Amino acid sequence: MKTVLWQGVAFHSLEYFNIQENNDHYVVVSKIIGSYRKKIYSVSYQLIINKQWEIEEFLIDSEVDMTKNTLTGKKTATNWEINHFDNPDFMGFQYIDISLTPFTNTLPINNLQLKIGDSKEIDIIYIDLINNDITPVRQRYTRTDLHEYLYENIVSDFTARIQVEENGLVLNYPGLFKKIAGN
């Protein structure tokens, strides 16, 4: 079991994160509270991740300015059921990116197993909790050092150099998140 506390710099948030390893998968349970652009929010999410660091299921309960929302996802053989409906927009996708946490960067970082200097473009289910939006996004990860990755959002041209621990958990995501405690 690993517990981490992340501070959201841009999102004025605090995340209490826990990951446990079971026989054939990892289970993540996390809670986030914060304020972004005058919107106060809280998020609780649960993830089931296989040993290859591919997301299999997610459950996200969020509340933004008193408006509650629940989002579920379950990976089928080649597609995703989002809120119990088959969504062809995400066929073949292996990863999700939840806007208010740095953890979902760990999924491709650990799954891709890039060597220093290697890069890979991937398709992501991007979950924007503040705006209650879910969209397909193309991203690229490049391993620049033993514990550093260049993250690039292909659609928006956003880039960041993310520092991670040896287990792939984010230490510092400049301007967005930083680890402030953990065991």
Side-chain angles (χ1 to χ4, degrees):
M1 175 168 50
K2 177 96 173 153
T3 301
V4 173
L5 196 59
W6 279 301
Q7 178 182 7
V9 178
F11 299 108
H12 305 284
S13 65
L14 200 54
E15 178 173 0
Y16 180 79
F17 169 90
N18 182 276
I19 185 168
Q20 293 184 355
E21 184 174 358
N22 293 336
N23 292 334
D24 60 345
H25 60 275
Y26 301 97
V27 177
V28 167
V29 177
S30 195
K31 296 177 182 163
I32 308 168
I33 57 168
S35 172
Y36 183 68
R37 295 186 178 166
K38 299 183 181 180
K39 293 182 179 183
I40 296 173
Y41 62 87
S42 69
V43 177
S44 294
Y45 68 88
Q46 297 175 26
L47 309 175
I48 306 294
I49 303 162
N50 68 24
K51 290 293 184 147
Q52 292 75 46
W53 291 94
E54 298 168 329
I55 189 82
E56 293 184 342
E57 292 183 47
F58 62 85
L59 168 64
I60 305 169
D61 287 315
S62 61
E63 183 174 326
V64 179
D65 283 346
M66 304 294 290
T67 301
K68 294 182 181 187
N69 189 43
T70 297
L71 182 64
T72 63
K74 184 173 184 171
K75 189 175 182 182
T76 62
T78 59
N79 206 6
W80 280 90
E81 288 180 7
I82 305 295
N83 286 344
H84 309 290
F85 292 98
D86 195 50
N87 190 321
D89 292 343
F90 306 121
M91 187 172 288
F93 285 35
Q94 294 178 319
Y95 313 102
I96 64 171
D97 186 352
I98 302 172
S99 62
L100 300 173
T101 178
F103 173 71
T104 45
N105 295 99
T106 299
L107 300 171
I109 285 171
N110 284 350
N111 174 264
L112 296 173
Q113 297 291 305
L114 298 173
K115 292 180 172 54
I116 296 173
D118 287 351
S119 68
K120 176 91 175 170
E121 283 191 24
I122 55 176
D123 293 313
I124 300 280
I125 299 171
Y126 181 68
I127 302 168
D128 180 348
L129 296 174
I130 296 292
N131 297 306
N132 192 26
D133 193 25
I134 180 169
T135 56
V137 173
R138 190 105 174 124
Q139 298 177 349
R140 180 184 300 119
Y141 283 84
T142 303
R143 190 167 196 173
T144 56
D145 204 346
L146 185 60
H147 298 294
E148 183 180 84
Y149 291 81
L150 174 64
Y151 163 83
E152 299 170 88
N153 183 315
I154 306 302
V155 176
S156 71
D157 293 328
F158 173 81
T159 64
R161 291 193 178 273
I162 302 171
Q163 289 84 40
V164 298
E165 298 176 343
E166 51 187 58
N167 59 13
L169 292 175
V170 173
L171 284 170
N172 186 29
Y173 191 138
L176 290 180
F177 305 100
K178 65 181 175 180
K179 178 183 170 185
I180 58 174
N183 61 20

